Amino acid sequence: MNTLAEENYLKAIYHLSLNDVNVSTNQIAAALNTKAASVTDMLKKLADKELINYEKYQGVTLTYTGEKIALHIIRKHRLWEYFLVEKLHFKWDEVHEMAEEMEHISSVELIDRLDKFMDYPKHDPHGDPIPDRDGNFKKHELTPIASLNVNESGVISGVRDHSPTFLQYLEKQQLVIGKKIKVTDIIEYDNSMILQVENITTHISREVAKNLLIAI
């Protein structure tokens, strides 16, 4: 049995490894808002359990077992987020913290029944894929709106920034999952973008455009 802290480390390492094959101690410390010395102690424990490959100054990778555990935690987190939004009608900016607590429920039977009850959803409310009970999921290539040119379009399918303030902003602008957008202009001064969102025109900053993902 792994502790809550160990599970949080494995999940953080998995997410960080999507951008860097070898994850550094400082990256983990920043992600978990803790000290590098504390991270080093935990990495030694995880290495002793053969959940990570760790050599000092060489970075960290998950072992097969470590990755399976991380994906199982992510599966639970995203299923609970889906349940809270779709069945209990919470808003998409309200569910992350609750799912952070619920992802540590250990019952496999409960999670399997939850998945079945919701008819096996493939994506959480933020557009992230939900792994199945074996840790498998269909990867879909998303691109930030910032990479589009004028007159190019796509469907909003995910976000990079999961903070409540960002999600609340998107909802006010009606820039939510499933909406079709088209770039009608790019402002030369600051590279901000004018979007046609169905029958509404909206103006977004470059920072927003980098954090809002579409399927083309």
Side-chain angles (χ1 to χ4, degrees), residues 126-160:
H126 309 110
D128 294 315
I130 300 175
D132 64 19
R133 71 190 318 271
D134 297 317
N136 301 314
F137 59 92
K138 185 177 180 180
K139 296 180 180 178
H140 59 165
E141 293 299 320
L142 301 181
T143 188
I145 288 177
S147 67
L148 297 184
N149 297 311
V150 174
N151 291 326
E152 291 185 329
S153 60
V155 176
I156 298 174
S157 302
V159 292
R160 280 181 174 161

Side-chain angles (χ1 to χ4, degrees), residues 9-205:
Y9 268 79
L10 293 173
K11 184 177 71 166
I13 293 167
Y14 176 83
H15 285 309
L16 291 167
S17 71
L18 298 178
N19 296 318
D20 294 293
V21 175
N22 289 303
V23 179
S24 72
T25 301
N26 288 336
Q27 285 177 299
I28 298 168
L32 295 174
N33 194 25
T34 190
K35 295 178 181 177
S38 300
V39 173
T40 300
D41 290 341
M42 177 60 79
L43 294 182
K44 290 175 181 176
K45 292 178 184 177
L46 294 174
D48 288 342
K49 288 188 171 186
E50 298 183 348
L51 299 177
I52 63 169
N53 302 303
Y54 171 61
E55 287 185 39
K56 203 169 183 180
Y57 309 121
Q58 299 298 314
V60 179
T61 59
L62 293 172
T63 63
Y64 175 83
T65 302
E67 182 173 329
K68 284 293 184 183
I69 293 171
L71 285 168
H72 183 56
I73 298 161
I74 291 166
R75 163 178 159 79
K76 289 187 287 183
H77 183 103
R78 293 176 180 173
L79 282 172
W80 283 122
E81 285 195 334
Y82 187 94
F83 174 77
L84 290 166
V85 170
E86 296 297 326
K87 303 301 180 182
L88 299 188
H89 309 299
F90 283 94
K91 293 182 179 179
W92 70 335
D93 60 280
E94 298 176 319
V95 295
H96 179 73
E97 293 299 326
M98 287 182 274
E100 286 278 289
E101 297 180 24
M102 299 165 80
E103 71 186 25
H104 299 290
I105 294 173
S106 60
S107 172
V108 175
E109 178 68 17
L110 171 61
I111 300 305
D112 284 347
R113 290 194 183 196
L114 179 69
D115 197 13
K116 182 178 180 182
F117 172 68
M118 298 187 298
D119 198 26
Y120 308 103
K122 301 300 182 189
H123 299 91
D124 75 7
H126 309 110
D128 294 315
I130 300 175
D132 64 19
R133 71 190 318 271
D134 297 317
N136 301 314
F137 59 92
K138 185 177 180 180
K139 296 180 180 178
H140 59 165
E141 293 299 320
L142 301 181
T143 188
I145 288 177
S147 67
L148 297 184
N149 297 311
V150 174
N151 291 326
E152 291 185 329
S153 60
V155 176
I156 298 174
S157 302
V159 292
R160 280 181 174 161
D161 184 348
H162 289 71
S163 66
T165 51
F166 183 64
L167 298 176
Q168 289 162 12
Y169 167 82
L170 293 181
E171 190 151 352
K172 285 180 182 177
Q173 300 299 319
Q174 300 188 38
L175 296 168
V176 295
I177 303 296
K179 288 276 188 176
K180 185 174 181 179
I181 65 97
K182 181 179 180 180
V183 178
T184 59
D185 197 9
I186 298 175
I187 309 303
E188 185 176 356
Y189 171 68
D190 60 0
N191 282 322
S192 59
M193 307 179 88
I194 307 296
L195 305 180
Q196 186 74 27
V197 188
E198 297 181 352
N199 61 342
I200 297 170
T201 299
T202 189
H203 183 189
I204 64 170
S205 70

